[in-house]
Amino acid sequence: MKLIGLLGGVTWESTKEYYRILNEEVKARLGGWHSARCLIHSVDFAEVIKIQNKVGRDQLGDYMETVALSLKAGGADFIIIGANTMHQFAERIESVTGLSVLHIADCTASAVKEMGLTKVGLTGTRFTMEEDFIKGRFTDKHGLEIIVPERDSRKAINDIIYNELARGIFRDESRRVFLDIINHLIEAGSEGVILGCTEIPLIVKQSDFSVPVFNTTELHAKAAVDRALGG
């Protein structure tokens, strides 16, 4: 079994879900006392926010490279970044470490295409919904048509993610905001919806919607087990 290097802490609320899924999936596949071989570097999210808001993207990339190098030094065979937004640095991390980064967009796109869908809604942080490191990969590499919420809805989602979900705050009012925005994406023609932030599945579920919902945390973690076990 390969050693999974998990860049976590962005946020720990979703990182614990990664750890749970990785271990449950290995146990389900191998049985007995088996669990995942996993090395986790969990960052201080406050430090990430500070760098992101006060210093800049290049410096945040430098910070993530340092974290990834610690995973390499610990013997990781490949890396998973436990956050959609931090995949903006996936190529930099691959370059500096020489290790493969299992990309969250690729795992998700595979699941979307397996269901025969071509037009899907995307929710996530403002960076994920507006920039191309995730959205562009879906369209350019995988040929998917991506619909994102309107500007005010993008701001509402981003605010809830950073001010509530990232702090372990789960309010019914905020859940209703997500339900309303995602249902508008469905009304706009989305055949499915990507939960493109690893915290969003903590507040909404497949049972809330009439179309397929793609939990990027679960898909990413299961794909990591595939790779770790040689699949």
Side-chain angles (χ1 to χ4, degrees), residues 11-228:
T11 63
W12 72 263
E13 294 284 350
S14 60
T15 299
K16 69 180 181 181
E17 288 299 294
Y18 270 94
Y19 188 64
R20 177 185 63 79
I21 296 167
L22 290 171
N23 284 290
E24 287 181 351
E25 195 68 17
V26 169
K27 181 180 179 180
R29 298 189 195 189
L30 300 183
W33 291 282
H34 284 289
S35 57
R37 295 187 64 233
C38 182
L39 177 65
I40 303 175
H41 186 143
S42 187
V43 302
D44 179 359
F45 190 53
E47 188 68 19
V48 172
I49 294 295
K50 177 182 177 181
I51 297 171
Q52 184 172 267
N53 292 341
K54 295 185 178 180
V55 182
R57 181 169 300 188
D58 285 343
Q59 288 78 8
L60 182 56
D62 293 341
Y63 179 73
M64 290 298 160
E65 286 180 6
T66 300
V67 175
L69 284 168
S70 75
L71 293 172
K72 179 180 182 178
D77 291 303
F78 66 96
I79 290 173
I80 58 173
I81 305 170
N84 284 265
T85 300
M86 291 304 124
H87 276 74
Q88 63 189 292
F89 305 118
E91 292 182 358
R92 287 181 61 175
I93 287 172
E94 283 191 326
S95 178
V96 74
T97 63
L99 296 177
S100 171
V101 172
L102 181 61
H103 204 290
I104 199 167
D106 296 339
C107 308
T108 304
S110 293
V112 172
K113 292 190 289 186
E114 282 176 8
M115 296 196 70
L117 310 184
T118 59
K119 185 176 183 179
V120 288
L122 174 64
T123 58
T125 66
R126 175 174 57 84
F127 304 100
T128 296
M129 291 186 288
E130 296 178 358
E131 299 185 18
D132 278 342
F133 58 89
I134 292 285
K135 187 170 63 173
R137 197 172 181 104
F138 283 135
T139 57
D140 298 341
K141 182 174 181 179
H142 298 285
L144 298 176
E145 182 179 349
I146 299 297
I147 304 175
V148 297
E150 298 293 331
R151 181 178 178 180
D152 288 348
S153 295
R154 295 198 301 268
K155 182 180 185 304
I157 288 174
N158 191 78
D159 289 347
I160 291 170
I161 289 171
Y162 279 101
N163 297 330
E164 298 178 25
L165 307 187
R167 298 180 177 183
I169 299 169
F170 308 104
R171 300 192 305 142
D172 287 340
E173 180 181 349
S174 297
R175 181 176 180 275
R176 288 192 292 271
V177 170
F178 268 98
L179 295 178
D180 184 58
I181 292 172
I182 292 175
N183 280 319
H184 274 91
L185 289 175
I186 296 170
E187 291 168 5
S190 296
E191 301 167 331
V193 177
I194 296 168
L195 305 183
C197 172
T198 51
E199 281 75 39
I200 296 177
L202 301 174
I203 198 170
V204 296
K205 308 294 181 185
Q206 173 63 73
S207 58
D208 294 319
F209 304 104
S210 60
V211 302
V213 170
F214 298 93
N215 178 340
T216 55
T217 305
E218 183 176 14
L219 292 168
H220 200 202
K222 288 183 176 180
V225 173
D226 287 340
R227 180 167 295 187

